[in-house]
Amino acid sequence: MDDVKNRAVNGRRRRNSVFSTEDAVEQLDQALRGVGIILPSLRVDPITGASELPYPLVELGRCNLQVAAKLAGVLRKAAET
């Protein structure tokens, strides 16, 4: 029963927003991969994603030191432009 409720809530959320949280996660993943950064834990936060909140959180997850350093470098470079 909870599964049906969650699907209904998620479906309603997708129709009411410009794009879904899943779409935002996919776009972020593609953009990061485009600059050589992979966040293996990137996903919709399961707690807020299953709740009645209108905008679930995006869980960026954990990454190793090399990925964190590369991400910082890409962000610094983007801030310069």
Side-chain angles (χ1 to χ4, degrees):
M1 187 71 161
D2 285 335
D3 241 7
V4 172
K5 181 181 176 189
N6 289 339
R7 277 185 287 204
V9 168
N10 287 335
R12 193 168 52 246
R13 182 179 299 125
R14 279 188 211 103
R15 285 191 301 273
N16 292 336
S17 63
V18 174
F19 57 89
S20 72
T21 307
E22 292 86 357
D23 293 336
V25 169
E26 181 62 29
Q27 289 179 18
L28 179 57
D29 185 49
Q30 289 175 3
L32 288 168
R33 286 175 186 269
V35 292
I37 297 172
I38 297 172
L39 297 178
S41 303
L42 180 64
R43 65 184 180 158
V44 176
D45 173 65
I47 303 298
T48 59
S51 74
E52 296 290 329
L53 296 174
Y55 302 105
L57 299 174
V58 173
E59 188 172 299
L60 298 177
R62 303 180 324 183
C63 65
N64 63 36
L65 180 58
Q66 290 80 13
V67 172
K70 188 169 188 172
L71 180 57
V74 167
L75 291 171
R76 275 194 298 276
K77 186 175 180 180
E80 293 172 0
T81 59

